[in-house]
Amino acid sequence: MTEVLNPKEQMLVAVVDDMHMTDTPQGRAIRRIMDGIRQFGIRVGDVSSPNDARAAYSALAEIDCILINWNVGGGSPKRHAETTRLIREIRERNEKVPIFLLGEPTNAAPTDMTIDMVKEINEYIWVMEDTPAFIAGRITAAAKRYREHLLPPFFGELVKFSKDFEYSWHTPGHAGGTAFMKSPAGRVFHDFFGEQLFRSDLSISVGELGSLLDHSGPVGEAERYAAKVFGADQTYFVTNGTSTANKIVFFGRVTKDDVVLVDRNCHKSSEHALTMTHSVAVYLQPTRNRYGIIGPIPPHEMTPAAIKTKIAACPLARGLPSTKPVHVIITNSTYDGLCYHAKQVEEMLGKSVDSIHFDEAWYAYARFNPLYKDRFAMRDGAKDKNGPTVFATQSTHKLLAALSQASMVHIRNGRIPIDHNRFNEGFMMHSSTSPLYTIIASLDVSSKMMEGASGRVLTTESIEEAIRFRRTMARVSHEIEGSAKGKGGKRKDWWFGIWQPDMVVDPKTRKKIAFQDAPIDVLRDNPSAWVLHPGEKWHGFSGLPDNYCMLDPIKVTVLMPGVNDDGSLADWGIPAAIVVKFLDTRGIVNEKSGDYCILFLFSMGITKGKWGTLVTELFEFKQKYSENVLLEEMFPDLTGGYPDRYTGMTIQDLTREMHAFKKEHKMCDLLQQAYAVQPEPVVTYAESFSKLVRNEVDYLPIEKAGDRIAATGIVPYPPGIPLLAPGEKTGKLKEPVLQYLKSLQDFDNAFPGFSHDTHGVENVNGKYMMYCIKDKKGRKA
């Protein structure tokens, strides 16, 4: 289809037909119809068979109307079945695009079409009966109707307004980009982004577009439309990320001295929300496996009895007006892609709290694919006026299609329905009076993209590409490692693993299949293939009931060699930091990494070429490791930045040293021990922050921080969850928390260029420094 890829605003009609190139009455009639459509200023693209049309599916989003010759390829039942399949596949991807069926002149629809198929067609065209000009006009009208109804509420009004070319006498001061054109640097900036961005950067003064703060006009319409698409009773657009969305929810439910149940695997924004609301955190403790991957909170942590015990044991809860928890926040899915059975979680926690908050920042797509049934907050049929009110905060920009900072708050009302006017007061405290309209428009468009069949198609494509990558990696591993064992089964060759089941069960035959051999539909359509079943060695979590937790296939963790099944480090291994640095030199940036694992996200923007390149570069790393190349060749920036440390070393020298360091210093063991400890809370988050602002703190090296109180959260990345929360005791120097921090400090000093990212500490001349609250004895640093 030659013209399909032309990225113009002009409308496009696609014709699936093999007769228009023939010198026959029907061929000439179809050509005249196509010429007539062009005379209306519409592009026409043509393909000659259903198979060619399938090859152009990637361009389907650009098409405004489709003409299909019922007899394309011949009039046999087999050809008609192929055309029928094409129409079904188009409808699976787009329920609204007009489809016109071209046919021979008869008095009825083709006799071998089923009633269901007849319903998929918008109109029949008998090419030899009506005039080409009339038929072209019918097609053009249908394409225009489709285009007019294509845009969602806010974006549609924004497009209309931008076409009015009104003079701007309001903010922003660049006045549609004009101000930028008055400066050389400004002109470059203007040209880089294009005029349309600046024309659509408008002020709240433009009443036609409504207001984000009072949810009026097209903005309010867009939020109500999003609520329908995402299955919520109420939806709020947030233009500065889910960090702010989380705070908005807290401001709607939590106030001073309230007890809040908090997933210890929480985002730092939850810490900020607890600080700002002057509330008291009582933690629910997640599990962890041999790779340091954070698992779910076990069900026994969520029972009413367990929660009462936790609150009673919390020093900060003593003396409060009420110790009944008012709210709970759970991370779903986890950063490593573990999804709770949300229905079960609600049933358990709903016995203790009136509102449940699922932080679904990385999980906004779950509603749109049946693979995730019952594992997300805004489920169909879940509304219960006697159950807890449920919130979901979602970073629409992370794994759907929206601009950075575009997020949503979704609400499903329960026994404490949310009053909009009161909730909106908290919303306004965290929202700008000058929001960027392009972010709002991107949220609106994202809702439209996920509505109906489109949402399922888009999510299925991501899942399928992730599965193909996973199977490819498993096949390579099977071929390399399975055929390269030495005597006694010892390793002679190696490859990267994938954190996933080794075997899956085919639901039809009930037989086990090796993952790499499983048909794609078994992995795509069968949630049980991804469930953390009890007793299965691959996932490394114990004590979880069956079906409680599932691995999300689009969050792919690549495993480095070096970790034994019991979690101890093997004699040989390749730390992830070295592979991450290599991939970075090749333009491949991962989402996050651990000591021996790397996480990659398969979002809606994934392509075969993208993941194929990742496989290729992993092979390239393996080749360079086998050749034992010098670091000067592999990491010239590293040897250039630290010549005394790395000059003359090979890649095998570096991996051997780094792995040995981790093993000798027991870094992985210390990580496990440090996070298994629940530090003692001494003062609230809010009081800790108050002391930080007033400078009632000491700035100490960690060697002098024993038995002190942390003034800020200490959050090592990875894993990215609090090691210490503000106001918690550090413990003794020889105990796991400070020992783990010391091991990170020593590693950073031993391997410059590979330093850890640890929020709350600063490496000053080789010493990790942290803020501790001054104690009553007035001890100084």
Side-chain angles (χ1 to χ4, degrees):
M1 191 180 291
T2 14
E3 296 183 77
V4 164
L5 299 178
N6 192 348
K8 294 181 180 177
E9 187 182 357
Q10 190 180 8
M11 288 192 293
L12 173 65
V13 170
V15 180
V16 183
D17 169 70
D18 56 358
M19 291 292 295
H20 67 282
M21 299 301 290
T22 64
D23 190 21
T24 62
Q26 189 176 17
R28 290 191 292 271
I30 293 173
R31 284 201 299 277
R32 286 195 293 270
I33 292 169
M34 293 167 69
D35 289 341
I37 294 169
R38 291 188 182 99
Q39 287 173 15
F40 283 101
I42 295 175
R43 291 180 295 145
V44 178
D46 61 281
V47 294
S48 59
S49 73
N51 282 336
D52 289 345
R54 287 189 187 92
Y57 273 161
S58 60
L60 184 58
E62 193 183 351
I63 294 168
D64 298 285
C65 185
I66 303 173
L67 278 61
I68 301 175
N69 190 332
W70 178 241
N71 294 317
V72 63
S76 68
K78 182 180 177 182
R79 293 295 186 182
H80 287 170
E82 187 69 12
T83 305
T84 297
R85 186 160 73 92
L86 173 67
I87 293 168
R88 282 205 182 96
E89 289 172 358
I90 292 170
R91 281 289 175 243
E92 285 172 1
R93 287 162 171 76
N94 189 325
E95 298 159 306
K96 302 288 177 65
V97 66
I99 298 177
F100 282 61
L101 199 66
L102 306 176
E104 304 281 345
T106 62
N107 294 322
T111 56
D112 53 351
M113 284 189 72
T114 65
I115 295 298
D116 286 342
M117 186 49 51
V118 170
K119 292 176 183 176
E120 305 293 0
I121 303 301
N122 293 79
E123 198 162 327
Y124 299 96
I125 296 175
W126 314 122
V127 294
M128 300 299 291
E129 290 195 343
D130 290 310
T131 65
F134 177 81
I135 293 172
R138 296 283 301 171
I139 294 165
T140 300
K144 286 182 176 177
R145 282 195 302 271
Y146 172 72
R147 177 66 72 94
E148 285 167 6
H149 291 92
L150 194 61
L151 303 186
F154 178 80
F155 181 53
E157 288 302 316
L158 182 63
V159 169
K160 282 183 191 174
F161 185 86
S162 69
K163 289 180 178 178
D164 289 343
F165 295 98
E166 295 185 2
Y167 279 115
S168 167
W169 293 91
H170 52 70
T171 59
H174 64 70
T178 306
F180 290 113
M181 303 296 286
K182 297 182 178 182
S183 153
R187 180 175 285 275
V188 173
F189 180 72
H190 181 279
D191 292 346
F192 179 81
F193 285 105
E195 182 173 356
Q196 200 59 60
L197 172 69
F198 302 103
R199 291 289 175 197
S200 57
D201 185 20
L202 301 166
S203 164
I204 198 169
S205 305
V206 180
E208 297 98 313
L209 297 176
S211 165
L212 181 66
L213 295 182
D214 60 20
H215 313 278
S216 61
V219 175
E221 269 188 76
E223 288 179 320
R224 289 187 289 276
Y225 171 63
K228 183 184 80 168
V229 172
F230 284 85
D233 293 329
Q234 296 156 256
T235 290
Y236 294 83
F237 284 176
V238 181
T239 57
N240 36 358
T242 300
S243 293
T244 295
N246 286 339
K247 294 167 196 168
I248 288 169
V249 172
F250 267 72
F251 269 57
R253 282 293 299 139
V254 180
T255 189
K256 189 171 188 269
D257 291 338
D258 282 344
V259 173
V260 181
L261 303 177
V262 181
D263 184 346
R264 189 74 179 190
N265 178 23
C266 66
H267 188 259
K268 198 170 184 180
S269 59
S270 300
E271 173 193 313
H272 296 159
L274 289 157
T275 302
M276 296 165 80
T277 55
H278 291 247
S279 51
V280 173
V282 173
Y283 285 104
L284 305 177
Q285 197 73 17
T287 48
R288 187 179 298 275
N289 75 359
R290 60 185 175 273
Y291 297 107
I293 292 171
I294 304 154
I297 301 162
H300 64 74
E301 288 266 312
M302 300 184 185
T303 65
I307 289 168
K308 283 181 183 176
T309 300
K310 284 175 176 290
I311 295 171
C314 177
L316 302 181
R318 293 167 197 155
L320 294 178
S322 170
T323 56
K324 176 178 167 52
V326 300
H327 190 63
V328 58
I329 180 166
I330 303 290
T331 304
N332 188 44
S333 74
T334 70
Y335 305 125
D336 297 288
L338 293 176
C339 319
Y340 289 92
H341 194 289
K343 185 178 178 182
Q344 292 179 28
V345 171
E346 286 175 27
E347 288 170 355
M348 287 185 288
L349 290 175
K351 296 171 184 175
S352 300
V353 292
D354 290 330
S355 62
I356 299 174
H357 175 178
F358 288 104
D359 182 346
E360 295 183 346
W362 300 84
Y363 199 44
Y365 50 85
R367 173 178 170 79
F368 306 101
N369 199 285
L371 185 69
Y372 305 102
K373 184 177 184 293
D374 290 334
R375 297 188 182 275
F376 56 93
M378 297 295 126
R379 308 180 305 279
D380 288 336
K383 191 172 176 64
D384 178 5
K385 66 180 182 180
N386 298 315
T389 290
V390 177
F391 296 87
T393 48
Q394 297 176 347
S395 294
T396 318
H397 67 95
K398 278 191 167 76
L399 288 164
L400 298 184
L403 296 180
S404 289
Q405 299 190 66
S407 295
M408 298 190 203
V409 175
H410 302 298
I411 303 171
R412 168 162 48 86
N413 285 313
R415 55 181 174 258
I416 50 139
I418 297 304
D419 177 79
H420 164 72
N421 292 326
R422 289 191 296 120
F423 187 82
N424 199 48
E425 291 298 317
F427 177 89
M428 289 191 291
M429 287 184 190
H430 296 279
S431 302
S432 171
T433 53
S434 303
L436 187 63
Y437 278 26
T438 44
I439 294 179
I440 300 173
S442 76
L443 284 165
D444 195 24
V445 169
S446 190
S447 300
K448 183 69 175 180
M449 289 176 66
M450 302 312 292
E451 186 180 26
S454 176
R456 178 159 182 171
V457 168
L458 291 169
T459 53
T460 298
E461 285 177 355
S462 296
I463 292 167
E464 287 183 347
E465 293 307 325
I467 289 170
R468 289 187 178 100
F469 172 76
R470 287 172 174 275
R471 290 195 309 181
T472 298
M473 291 289 287
R475 285 185 189 124
V476 172
S477 178
H478 180 72
E479 290 173 16
I480 289 178
E481 296 183 337
S483 61
K485 296 285 186 182
K487 290 182 180 179
K490 291 185 177 179
R491 177 188 64 83
K492 285 184 64 180
D493 205 351
W494 62 274
W495 181 242
F496 302 94
I498 298 287
W499 190 57
Q500 63 191 19
D502 301 311
M503 308 286 289
V504 295
V505 175
D506 186 328
K508 294 176 184 174
T509 65
R510 306 306 304 163
K511 291 182 179 178
K512 283 192 173 184
I513 320 168
F515 187 95
Q516 65 268 19
D517 299 327
I520 198 162
D521 61 312
V522 168
L523 298 172
R524 181 194 62 211
D525 305 333
N526 177 26
S528 182
W530 304 98
V531 165
L532 276 59
H533 297 294
E536 291 186 347
K537 189 170 69 173
W538 71 268
H539 57 74
F541 294 103
S542 58
L544 299 179
D546 202 15
N547 204 37
Y548 178 68
C549 185
M550 183 186 94
L551 174 62
D552 186 347
I554 76 162
K555 295 179 174 114
V556 182
T557 298
V558 177
L559 303 174
M560 310 300 106
V563 180
N564 295 321
D565 289 344
D566 63 0
S568 63
L569 292 188
D571 293 335
W572 173 86
I574 299 178
I578 297 172
V579 181
V580 167
K581 181 171 277 294
F582 172 76
L583 293 175
D584 192 51
T585 66
R586 301 308 180 96
I588 294 174
V589 182
N590 63 292
E591 178 53 40
K592 77 178 188 75
S593 61
D595 287 313
Y596 290 88
C597 58
I598 308 174
L599 177 68
F600 297 93
L601 300 178
F602 279 62
S603 69
M604 292 197 315
I606 194 65
T607 63
K608 291 180 180 64
K610 189 174 177 181
W611 68 253
T613 299
L614 175 56
V615 175
T616 301
E617 295 301 345
L618 291 173
F619 266 113
E620 182 69 11
F621 176 88
K622 184 179 187 302
Q623 182 66 26
K624 288 188 177 297
Y625 183 88
S626 299
E627 294 171 358
N628 199 21
V629 301
L630 287 167
L631 293 185
E632 283 95 329
E633 176 187 334
M634 201 160 179
F635 302 132
D637 60 327
L638 191 67
T639 54
Y642 309 98
D644 294 342
R645 175 66 179 88
Y646 297 115
T647 298
M649 288 182 69
T650 67
I651 185 61
Q652 290 186 18
D653 293 335
L654 179 60
T655 55
R656 186 165 46 248
E657 270 193 42
M658 191 178 289
H659 181 71
F661 185 98
K662 287 178 178 288
K663 185 176 174 68
E664 289 164 15
H665 288 73
K666 300 185 177 354
M667 291 186 71
C668 297
D669 293 338
L670 284 171
L671 180 146
Q672 296 281 8
Q673 293 165 21
Y675 278 99
V677 172
Q678 177 67 65
E680 179 189 348
V682 181
V683 298
T684 63
Y685 284 31
E687 188 178 347
S688 298
F689 185 69
S690 174
K691 290 183 182 295
L692 185 71
V693 172
R694 292 173 180 159
N695 198 27
E696 296 174 7
V697 293
D698 293 322
Y699 193 48
L700 302 174
I702 56 172
E703 289 87 351
K704 294 186 178 180
D707 283 328
R708 298 297 294 268
I709 301 168
T712 64
I714 307 294
V715 187
Y717 285 79
I721 67 172
L723 179 66
L724 284 170
E728 289 183 341
K729 264 196 167 183
T730 59
K732 297 185 184 301
L733 182 59
K734 294 296 184 183
E735 289 179 345
V737 169
L738 291 180
Q739 279 297 295
Y740 179 58
L741 285 175
K742 187 174 185 309
S743 75
L744 297 181
Q745 170 190 279
D746 294 345
F747 178 94
D748 292 355
N749 293 332
F751 298 97
F754 293 93
S755 58
H756 290 81
D757 177 15
T758 304
H759 294 190
V761 301
E762 186 179 6
N763 194 330
V764 179
N765 299 322
K767 291 288 185 184
Y768 270 17
M769 304 292 290
M770 63 181 288
Y771 285 105
C772 295
I773 295 171
K774 288 184 185 294
D775 63 17
K776 292 179 182 177
K777 298 175 184 176
R779 275 192 296 183
K780 301 286 184 178

